[in-house]
Each structure stands twice: as structure tokens, then as C-alpha cells.
Amino acid sequence: MTSPAIASATAVLLTAAAVLLVYDLGHFSTHMMLHIASMNIIAPLVAALIVTRRHTGGTRPCWLWTATFLQIVLLWTWHSPAVHHLLLRSPAAGLTFHAALLLAALFFWLSLLTTSAASRWQTIPALLLSGKLTCLLAALLIFAPRTLYGFTGHLADAPKHFSLHHALEDQHLAGLLMITACPLSYLVAAVIITVQLITRTEISAAPMPDGRLSIGR
């Protein structure tokens, strides 16, 4: 059951490496890359490692949905202009919120990987909901006609020609990074789990040599 997390994290990691080779990231897009690294690469890989090393029994679906909504709420809260400005003025608060996002993502992936077999189908809508709401936030960053955060957080020693146009380009790049990571992370995992569930169903329904169905095997 760890394969969805490993596959999604690997896809995001390879894409992120390619992006870093091509683009020069600005302040906001750098923050976005850190979010993606912590939530979509580190968290699923650590969750997969924990599940592999320790035998964990099936958890209840309520933990999955609690983790799903917690992750979404924290992500949207971080990217609200008021909170974003507050966190940038306080490095300690920003570091704390980064850690909170990482822990929330780790909670999400652990809950997803340890959901009981009978309730595993619920991981698919949880992944799709996470992906859709994250992509919606990314779309706001991409198509916003103005900077949502202004100059806040950009380096004081930025070039003299730095303008709102450059800040808007940085915001658009951050949105593009997020909207690329969404399907690579959540959609890839959902597709793999769907294939696993279909395969398991086919195996369970396959007839045994004596003609009986292998239900429950």
C-alpha cells in the first residue's frame, strides 16, 4: 500500500528537479517550492517509510477525512494575504507554520496508507478533493490580474528595476508550480489505488481450481 505515496513523491521530485534546471525562482515561487517539497515529497516518503518499518493496523476513515480537511485548511490559511504577510514579518511564525504544514501532510499520507482495506475506496475521493482544492488555489495565483501579496516578502536588496510586474510573474510561476504538483501527487496516487482496488476485486472474484469463488482470500 506504500506504492501510491512513493510513486507520487517520485513524480513530483523529478518534475521539481527539471523545473529548477530551467527557471530562476523568485521569493514567492521559492516558498512554493518549499511547500511542495515538504508536503508532496518528504511527507509521502516518510509516511511510506513508517508504514513499511512498522506494522500498522487499519485506521478508521474518520482519521483520513480529518487529515484531509486539516491539510486543506492549513494550506489555504497560509496563502491568505493577511496570514502570509504576518508570517513573513515573523520568521519564527513562518517556520512554525512550515512545520505545521509538513506534519499535516504527514498525517494525511499516514492516514491514507493505513486506511483499512474495507474503507480504502474512501482514499480516492479524499485525494481528488485535496487535488481539486489545491489546484483551485493555484489557479487563483495564476490568473489573478494583480499581485495578491504585493512586494511583501521580496528581498529588500532586489534590483532597482524590480516592479509589480516582476512580482506578478513570480506569483504566476508559484501558481504554475502548484498546479503541476497537484495532479502529479494526488491524481497519480488516486490512479494507483484505483488500479489496486480493481485488481484486488478481480482476484477475489476469480474462480478456484475446484470451481468455487476465492472470495475473502
Side-chain angles (χ1 to χ4, degrees):
M1 184 57 186
T2 60
S3 57
I6 295 174
S8 63
T10 301
V12 175
L13 177 60
L14 293 176
T15 304
V19 168
L20 290 175
L21 291 174
V22 176
Y23 293 97
D24 292 325
L25 302 183
H27 181 84
F28 191 51
S29 51
T30 298
H31 271 277
M32 185 62 69
M33 189 64 81
L34 290 174
H35 287 173
I36 292 170
S38 62
M39 300 182 71
N40 303 111
I41 299 176
I42 296 175
L45 289 179
V46 171
L49 180 63
I50 292 174
V51 172
T52 301
R53 291 196 164 214
R54 294 193 314 174
H55 176 71
T56 53
T59 58
R60 297 180 179 179
C62 62
W63 289 114
L64 172 64
W65 290 106
T66 299
T68 298
F69 288 113
L70 176 63
Q71 179 178 238
I72 291 171
V73 168
L74 284 177
L75 186 65
W76 275 78
T77 300
W78 171 282
H79 290 94
S80 64
V83 173
H84 185 76
H85 294 167
L86 174 64
L87 295 176
L88 287 175
R89 287 198 297 268
S90 173
L95 183 60
T96 300
F97 216 91
H98 263 298
L101 282 174
L102 174 59
L103 291 175
L106 181 59
F107 179 32
F108 171 78
W109 285 101
L110 277 174
S111 301
L112 184 140
L113 295 179
T114 58
T115 299
S116 62
S119 303
R120 193 155 295 162
W121 64 270
Q122 295 192 35
T123 61
I124 299 172
L127 284 163
L128 295 180
L129 179 64
S130 299
K132 275 190 169 294
L133 291 180
T134 305
C135 284
L136 176 59
L137 176 58
L140 291 176
L141 297 176
I142 294 171
F143 296 108
R146 61 178 180 81
T147 56
L148 301 178
Y149 308 99
F151 285 103
T152 304
H154 287 88
L155 299 177
D157 58 349
K160 291 183 179 179
H161 65 272
F162 188 85
S163 64
L164 281 174
H165 174 70
H166 294 86
L168 185 59
E169 286 183 342
D170 188 27
Q171 177 179 292
H172 289 168
L173 178 56
L176 288 171
L177 292 173
M178 180 183 281
I179 210 167
T180 301
C182 285
L184 288 176
S185 184
Y186 304 117
L187 184 57
V188 166
V191 169
I192 292 175
I193 293 174
T194 300
V195 172
Q196 290 176 341
L197 289 175
I198 293 173
T199 303
R200 188 183 68 181
T201 302
E202 290 177 347
I203 292 175
S204 298
M208 298 174 64
D210 58 3
R212 292 181 293 120
L213 292 180
S214 57
I215 296 175
R217 293 188 64 190

